[in-house]
Amino acid sequence: MDLFNLAPQSERNLLPNDGEVFYYGTLFSRKEANAYYEQLLEEIQWRNDEAIIFGKLIVTKRKVAWYGDKPFDYTYSKTTKSALPWTETLLELKEKVEATTGETFNSCLLNLYHDGSEGMAWHSDGETALKKNGSIGSLSFGAERKFSFKHKSSKEKIDVFLENGSLLEMKGTTQTYWLHRLPPTKLKMKPRVNLTFRTIDEKE
Ligand SMILES: O=C(O)CCC(=O)C(=O)O
Ligand SMILES: [Fe+2]
């Protein structure tokens, strides 16, 4: 083993195979992260998500928002949303995520979990409108929550805790072979804001 060429902790792949997930830890001081958290709660046009499950329209407790370079239509949970134009704050955060990952993004899906009872079920982000094997940059603010990956065939599980102001990147074949979720928890939790920067394929 070459001890001088070990990747720094922040760039180690969390997945053992079939994909790449990098946890960069916190990108901001606690003070900066808290300021972004307050700002995003205030300025984002949060609305309850709608999903069609077994043919029924369900309104989720979690709130969502969708921003981008253009008014892209994005079908998510079988409902379609049109992207709003970037805010100054979102552009600032997008640049930070781009500088850290070396990738570029043209849209962002935001989630607001009000407390520990809200989460997101097992899924992968392989929607056809997304660039194939493209990077997804996921920024977290507010409550620190557990995030889990599960391999679709081996069922192997990997957990990571997403700190206030932290960045997680999923890329390569991650969405093909792995599911991920934000499990609900009975622990008392303040709200959490999550931003997932994505690339919508524009060649339609
Ligand atoms: O809340 C999170 O950390 C992840 C959300 C997620 O997986 C998604 O929006 O597709
Ligand atoms: Fe996801």
Side-chain angles (χ1 to χ4, degrees):
M1 185 165 49
D2 181 353
L3 292 174
F4 293 99
N5 277 317
L6 285 178
Q9 181 71 18
S10 63
E11 290 176 29
R12 204 171 49 105
N13 187 1
L14 296 184
L15 299 182
N17 52 262
D18 291 346
E20 289 160 72
V21 173
F22 300 111
Y23 183 62
Y24 295 89
T26 52
L27 304 188
F28 307 99
S29 69
R30 176 121 65 118
K31 199 171 158 207
E32 281 176 308
N34 290 344
Y36 278 123
Y37 168 77
E38 296 294 341
Q39 182 73 26
L40 292 165
L41 283 178
E42 174 91 20
E43 78 176 25
I44 295 300
Q45 289 187 39
W46 298 108
R47 359 169 285 189
N48 289 96
D49 195 14
E50 295 176 337
I52 297 165
I53 298 172
F54 299 122
K56 255 199 187 147
L57 181 67
I58 306 287
V59 178
T60 61
K61 289 191 290 174
R62 166 174 58 90
K63 286 192 172 161
V64 295
W66 173 232
Y67 287 76
D69 286 358
K70 294 181 188 171
F72 300 119
D73 274 345
Y74 188 39
T75 302
Y76 187 80
S77 312
K78 297 189 185 147
T79 63
T80 300
K81 300 163 185 84
S82 188
L84 299 170
W86 296 113
T87 65
E88 282 300 317
T89 313
L90 288 176
L91 277 180
E92 222 172 88
L93 292 172
K94 181 167 92 78
E95 274 165 25
K96 182 81 175 178
V97 173
E98 289 179 338
T100 309
T101 60
E103 300 281 346
T104 58
F105 303 95
N106 62 13
S107 53
C108 184
L109 182 71
L110 293 93
N111 293 294
L112 167 58
Y113 306 91
H114 298 86
D115 57 39
S117 75
E118 297 179 16
M120 198 180 286
W122 289 116
H123 70 282
S124 41
D125 295 316
E127 295 88 357
T128 49
L130 286 182
K131 186 175 145 196
K132 180 118 177 101
N133 293 343
S135 161
I136 296 180
S138 173
L139 267 185
S140 297
F141 293 104
E144 179 174 323
R145 297 277 299 260
K146 183 163 97 173
F147 189 70
S148 308
F149 290 91
K150 182 167 74 177
H151 193 279
K152 291 182 189 177
S153 49
S154 76
K155 311 295 176 201
E156 182 172 0
K157 272 191 74 182
I158 308 282
D159 292 334
V160 55
F161 284 87
L162 304 178
E163 301 160 274
N164 180 21
S166 71
L167 175 65
L168 180 86
E169 182 188 18
M170 302 186 264
K171 60 193 283 191
T173 55
T174 304
Q175 307 303 332
T176 308
Y177 296 108
W178 295 81
L179 300 168
H180 57 267
R181 73 161 177 167
L182 188 83
T185 169
K186 292 207 169 70
L187 299 174
K188 191 162 167 48
M189 290 280 168
K190 71 171 191 167
R192 169 172 179 269
V193 171
N194 171 254
L195 297 79
T196 49
F197 290 94
R198 299 156 187 255
T199 303
I200 292 288
D201 230 329
E202 294 187 63
K203 61 174 190 302
E204 297 163 31

